[in-house]
Amino acid sequence: MMRHSRARLFLRTATCVVLAHSIQLARAEDIVSPLQDREERITVTRGTASANGVTNTTPGGGLMPRQTAAKTISGITRDFIAKQSPTTNALTLLKAMPGVIVSSVDPLGTSDRMNVSIRGLNQTEIGTTFEGMPVGDRLYYSPFTSEWADTENLGFVDVAQGSPDISAPVYNSVGGQINAGLRNPSDHFGGLIDAAGGSKATNRAFLRVDTGRLGASGIKGYVSFSHSGNDNWRGTGGQTRDHVDTRFVKEWGDGNRIAPFLAWNLVRADLFTNPTLAQWNASGDSYNYAGNYTFGNTMYQKFHFYRRQTVMMAVPSNVALTAALKLSVTPYFMYNHGIINGGSVLNDDNVFYGNRPAGPLNLPYSVNGQTTVENVDPYTQFSAGQNAYLTWTRGHNTLQFGYWYDYFDHNEATSFAVADFAGNVANSYGHAPVLTADGDVLRSFDGHIIQQINALFISDTLRFLDNRLTVNAGFKDVMVSRSATSLIPGSRYAVTANDAVPLPQVSASYRITPNDQIYLNGTTAFREPASINSYVDIFNVATGKMSSTHSTNLRPEYSISEEFGYRHYGLVNVSAAFFNYNFTNRQVSTSALVNGTPETFSLNAGGQKSRGVQAEVGLRPWHHVSPYLSGQYLHATIDNNFARSGDLLPTKGKTAVLSPEFSGTIGLSYDDGAAFGNFAMTYVGSQYTTFMNDQHIPGYGTANVTLGYRFHTLGPARHPQVQVNLINIGNEKYLSGAYGVTPNARTIRGVYGTSLAGSSPAYYVGAGFAAVISLSTGF
């Protein structure tokens, strides 16, 4: 037993030394480009004490890795990721970070129909990159993190709360940037098997095979596959997901590296309802879609689902052209085909195709001229591009110059499928649509948009006083061209938008001691309007009138932000920052049902100011214990009155929507190499959901617990372990965020006396309790 303890102590000490050396070597590079160039430096080998990459070296139980950039950055490592439920996604993993609010809708973390906000700015305002490529939906900006990687393959996730990296290929990052990367392949042949089950019929299987180094080539890689399924935690229906990750790495010489990866993902999920406050107060989490069909019931669960298939690939590469000049280039490609459906009723004799009468339809399964239909909303997207930059270092000066090009194509056209008297449709994917009397496919909109991005940046970093003082200045110019067409009768055929946005930024940091740093920065960022609905007209098929017109006043949202922060690393690790934002053309995304189908829109809320302070504290593992504490205070106000219906809502000085004043997390981790566990309790304060502050959701708190044990290697099974994850252990009943915000919930008189009718926001219902047990082993 003493021999095993000494061996374990030696391995931990060696790992700490290697990690510290890697951090020291990477420090200068991270100051220049902290998010774009970071990779997971922990390689799983046969010597590690766990098969899933846990080293128990990161402060706060994996919640506070060392940062050196002159900006606020928080992150998570394998020490935390590996101890969460294997069903979860990358964004859910970030809920403990200061300023990050996760509006989860299912406790397992499997659903992509959720929302994440940072400092009061939602996920449509947060740039997301994975392995150096832009990910998520290019037009709606939803991250779709289940597509990125299985949690067993995630090496790290970082969040820059206010300052996107100048070299990052993003164009919606006024709220900061989230960057994630894969684990490194193992040097030796082997792999990992993980099987999980739990409440709500949760089942998941994962298999990864590492090739090890392939002969004298120096190439190493892995391929993994997973399948998961579960019932919805409320209502009926469920979700299935299949996923493949593959990554190979070739390194040679001094600083040369090529690491291609490919991911394939297929998910099909039945949707959750998003109740109004009145519906929530009346029914709680019992307000759901119906499991049984009756004629005319558009709330039948089988009508409301989405399916999305994704292929994404990239080849992140770094080449040392000379001792002083390095080239970083990431070519990438991404393909998505999805569908999101709803339900409605058509009047056979009173229906419109655009602004043109479309009947009589003479549909089957009709009662008194009414026919129940499934609304079909399929879309196809593909994007391709490259992001490249040169880094030249001479003495105390580092100069970077880069170019990013991205091409994006999006097609989306709705249709309707007739439901029989049992609620079944001939085809839910648009292959058996309702036709007009003239033989056209009946649609509420039919849009196509092409987007091209050209961006140039230059950044210069100078170091003084024996590299203790670092000063950086950079400038980026992003040129966005969008061209949209609509084929619906009565709609505007073509809408174009061209923007060139200058983005200067400056920063400085000073290393007071090897473990103490202060920094300040000034950063600009922008976001293009979200959703194809900003450029394409949508018609109500029952009236022939536009239910949504293309926007004429949407300009890119622009932010100017400043941060001042301090970091200390040691046994106790501290990071704190003050921040201030000024916004123009603040774009607030909202969602609503149009013809029974979920649609996303942008509202121009004008100017906004946001300021506050965030902090996090984490203890380096001490007697196997690592506590963690994070928190944020936020004060966000609207600068102007909101224009509506020819009048103005008196919103000036009101609190910005979805901006809780206080939020925070308390965490505690224990890991002695065999037994392990952690606890995390998160609190989110109350949030307004209308510009007029006449409706809000109360504050809430949730807590998660992990318990596990690692066994000794037994034959081919390396470090087998059992792990139990308990999510929302108090089974808190709460609303976790707004699915769709509105200007005002109650009828109010405008500045000029007009009576402006109110409309209630819709909400995400917070995830309930779930338990997941997983068994895993390396081989």
Side-chain angles (χ1 to χ4, degrees), residues 71 121 124-127 160-166 168 170-177 474-478 500-506 521-528 555-562 580-587:
K71 61 177 69 178
L121 307 173
T124 68
E125 299 166 284
I126 301 167
Q161 283 91 339
S163 307
D165 183 21
I166 196 170
V170 292
Y171 56 98
N172 64 314
S173 54
V174 292
Q177 181 189 349
F475 180 83
K476 189 172 187 177
D477 190 48
V478 182
V501 185
L503 301 171
Q505 65 178 48
V506 294
N521 66 67
T523 307
T524 57
F526 84 110
R527 193 204 78 161
E528 286 290 332
R555 301 290 183 267
E557 179 178 352
Y558 195 82
S559 70
I560 301 173
S561 62
E562 302 87 26
N580 178 71
Y581 294 87
N582 282 277
F583 298 93
T584 56
N585 293 308
R586 171 83 163 87
Q587 303 294 329

Side-chain angles (χ1 to χ4, degrees), residues 266-288:
L266 175 64
V267 62
R268 189 200 184 281
D270 294 306
L271 298 174
F272 293 103
T273 54
N274 300 106
T276 64
L277 190 59
Q279 291 165 337
W280 168 256
N281 290 334
S283 305
D285 58 20
S286 298
Y287 179 76
N288 300 308

Side-chain angles (χ1 to χ4, degrees), residues 255-319:
N256 299 295
R257 174 186 172 92
I258 181 171
F261 84 93
L262 181 146
W264 171 82
N265 194 78
L266 175 64
V267 62
R268 189 200 184 281
D270 294 306
L271 298 174
F272 293 103
T273 54
N274 300 106
T276 64
L277 190 59
Q279 291 165 337
W280 168 256
N281 290 334
S283 305
D285 58 20
S286 298
Y287 179 76
N288 300 308
Y289 290 117
N292 298 312
Y293 177 74
T294 56
F295 180 82
N297 184 5
T298 61
M299 293 286 286
Y300 182 39
Q301 178 74 78
K302 287 182 66 176
F303 294 157
H304 299 267
F305 75 93
Y306 83 96
R307 181 182 185 275
R308 182 175 165 99
Q309 181 174 218
T310 301
V311 176
M312 61 181 183
M313 61 184 75
V315 188
S317 306
N318 295 283
V319 179

Side-chain angles (χ1 to χ4, degrees), residues 523-563:
T523 307
T524 57
F526 84 110
R527 193 204 78 161
E528 286 290 332
S531 173
I532 194 173
N533 304 329
S534 299
Y535 304 91
V536 172
D537 300 323
I538 300 178
F539 283 82
N540 188 318
V541 295
T543 65
K545 297 180 179 180
M546 290 186 187
S547 55
S548 171
T549 61
H550 67 275
S551 302
T552 58
N553 71 330
L554 287 182
R555 301 290 183 267
E557 179 178 352
Y558 195 82
S559 70
I560 301 173
S561 62
E562 302 87 26
E563 292 179 325

Side-chain angles (χ1 to χ4, degrees), residues 172-185:
N172 64 314
S173 54
V174 292
Q177 181 189 349
I178 294 172
N179 181 54
L182 293 164
R183 66 180 282 277
N184 271 332

